[in-house]
Amino acid sequence: MTRRTDWVDELTPPDASPDGTRDGGPRGRGGRRGRRSAQPPGADEGSSSSSRAEQGESSGDPAERARAICLRLLTGTPRTRKQLADALHKREIPDEVAEEVLSRFEEVGLIDDGAFADAWVESRHHGRGLARRALARELRTKGVDSALIDEAVSQLDSEQEEATARELVARKLRSTRGLDRDKRLRRLAGMLARKGYPEGMALRVVRQALEEEGEDADFLDGDEGADGQY
């Protein structure tokens, strides 16, 4: 049976000091010298790593099983601590064992909710056009701490959000041609609302897009509310 100290040593990166920090500075969100990729270290070890994880999941030692489950779930896909904790709970890993394993994974950088949130915002905003409000909502469902969410979504400012909203409307505008102006408004503004854009910004962007196309958008005057907060 693998001793607890064996797997703790295995989780320590080669360039880490005995206290769990890497050479060149302390770990942790406040001490990071730059954004790290959310890709977990060790994810490129290939099938050998997956095989070891599968073997560990059949171990009689709860700590070894917890470690194997986490390694398997992290292979190729970043996860938050909450997601991993939920997975361990479903596999009936004792809470105290799960807490110890998850804390050790955090110490060596295999779990980093801050990096996860940063990567999520970058990917979902540029890939799906989601606004800060929708991004914050998604991160909350994944168990990310509110302070980390605020820091991650602060990568986007109102100008960037509005620029993305304009791009989304421009791509959708053609498909609404032939509809009456009220339907165009509802469809375009509704699309932005579903992606988390504030009502005031959505109406302003839609009105300007319709005006640029030559549509009479005077009917929108006075309908703009204040931009909401995420």
Side-chain angles (χ1 to χ4, degrees):
M1 179 181 297
T2 303
R3 293 179 296 114
R4 182 72 55 83
T5 54
D6 293 337
W7 65 258
V8 169
D9 290 341
E10 289 176 10
L11 287 178
T12 304
D15 59 345
S17 60
D19 63 357
T21 60
R22 290 183 183 272
D23 294 340
R27 297 197 64 83
R29 189 167 180 81
R32 290 207 303 267
R33 291 178 294 172
R35 302 294 189 195
R36 296 200 315 274
S37 168
Q39 181 75 8
D44 59 350
E45 293 180 358
S47 59
S48 61
S49 176
S50 298
S51 177
R52 289 196 301 272
E54 291 173 359
Q55 293 174 3
E57 289 188 46
S58 62
S59 170
D61 180 5
E64 180 66 18
R65 288 180 57 220
R67 172 178 173 268
I69 291 168
C70 289
L71 287 175
R72 175 176 58 79
L73 292 175
L74 287 168
T75 299
T77 305
R79 311 270 182 170
T80 66
R81 178 170 179 141
K82 176 65 163 52
Q83 288 176 308
L84 293 173
D86 289 344
L88 294 180
H89 181 73
K90 289 179 180 179
R91 296 294 297 273
E92 299 184 345
I93 301 296
D95 291 343
E96 63 276 10
V97 174
E99 182 68 19
E100 181 179 352
V101 170
L102 293 172
S103 294
R104 185 55 182 159
F105 270 56
E106 278 190 326
E107 288 175 10
V108 300
L110 289 172
I111 299 175
D112 188 334
D113 283 2
F116 178 97
D118 290 345
W120 188 267
V121 168
E122 176 74 14
S123 173
R124 299 285 284 177
H125 178 71
H126 293 290
R128 298 288 302 278
L130 298 186
R132 288 174 291 181
R133 181 182 297 172
L135 292 166
R137 182 170 58 246
E138 289 186 339
L139 289 171
R140 280 193 293 270
T141 66
K142 296 183 180 298
V144 178
D145 181 78
S146 295
L148 296 179
I149 292 175
D150 290 344
E151 186 172 348
V153 299
S154 69
Q155 298 176 46
L156 303 175
D157 57 24
S158 296
E159 291 183 359
Q160 176 62 52
E161 266 194 342
E162 185 160 335
T164 303
R166 292 183 187 283
E167 293 173 3
L168 291 170
V169 170
R171 291 202 296 265
K172 188 74 171 177
L173 197 62
R174 177 175 297 181
S175 66
T176 67
R177 290 172 184 166
L179 300 176
D180 65 58
R181 62 186 187 182
D182 290 335
K183 288 183 179 179
R184 299 188 79 185
L185 165 65
R186 288 195 298 271
R187 185 164 298 183
L188 294 168
M191 177 267 295
L192 293 179
R194 288 190 295 274
K195 292 180 179 292
Y197 289 89
E199 180 183 7
M201 178 187 293
L203 290 174
R204 181 171 64 252
V205 168
V206 171
R207 182 184 66 181
Q208 292 174 352
L210 293 175
E211 287 177 344
E212 290 170 2
E213 194 184 56
E215 179 74 76
D216 178 11
D218 289 342
F219 69 99
L220 290 174
D221 289 342
D223 288 340
E224 296 182 18
D227 288 352
Q229 300 296 316
Y230 59 84

